[in-house]
Amino acid sequence: MPLLFFLLFPFFELYVLLEFAATTSPLWAIGEIFVTGFVGLRLLQGEGISRLRGGLASMNGNIEPLSEVVERLFLVIAGALFLIPGFITDFFGVLVLIG
């Protein structure tokens, strides 16, 4: 069953993207892909700076290290989801960022 999901998911993602492009315009769909890809890239690049800041804060005893690691992990997951083109993965990326 999970194999079937992973085989059909790209087709469903493409269907939603093409429906959005047909409803609005293809330029909006292409713009969405580039903007969310840029956001995902910035989330993954910014992770190095936040790791440095988080390490310094945990040395000072201001932040609990486990919560910092979990937050960093969620940022990496959200960044990876934003890098994958499509609306469904972007929706899940936003949910990970909010949650």
Side-chain angles (χ1 to χ4, degrees), residues 1-10:
M1 185 67 178
L3 180 64
L4 183 64
F5 173 75
F6 284 114
L7 290 175
L8 293 179
F9 184 75

Side-chain angles (χ1 to χ4, degrees), residues 13-48:
E13 187 81 68
L14 184 63
Y15 173 75
V16 171
L17 188 64
L18 289 176
E19 282 296 318
F20 176 75
T23 304
T24 58
S25 84
L27 292 177
W28 280 104
I30 292 170
E32 185 271 337
I33 290 171
F34 281 115
V35 167
T36 57
F38 180 74
V39 168
L41 190 63
R42 295 297 296 170
L43 279 174
L44 292 176
Q45 283 179 345
E47 189 54 34

Side-chain angles (χ1 to χ4, degrees), residues 45-60:
Q45 283 179 345
E47 189 54 34
I49 295 171
S50 72
R51 182 176 298 146
L52 177 63
R53 287 183 188 155
L56 291 174
S58 66
M59 278 196 254
N60 292 333

Side-chain angles (χ1 to χ4, degrees), residues 28-96:
W28 280 104
I30 292 170
E32 185 271 337
I33 290 171
F34 281 115
V35 167
T36 57
F38 180 74
V39 168
L41 190 63
R42 295 297 296 170
L43 279 174
L44 292 176
Q45 283 179 345
E47 189 54 34
I49 295 171
S50 72
R51 182 176 298 146
L52 177 63
R53 287 183 188 155
L56 291 174
S58 66
M59 278 196 254
N60 292 333
N62 296 339
I63 299 173
E64 185 177 303
L66 181 61
S67 65
E68 178 186 325
V69 170
V70 170
E71 180 181 331
R72 197 174 309 137
L73 178 65
F74 282 148
L75 282 175
V76 169
I77 291 170
L81 286 172
F82 279 134
L83 279 177
I84 300 170
F87 284 98
I88 301 169
T89 53
D90 293 343
F91 176 74
F92 286 125
V94 168
L95 287 180
V96 169

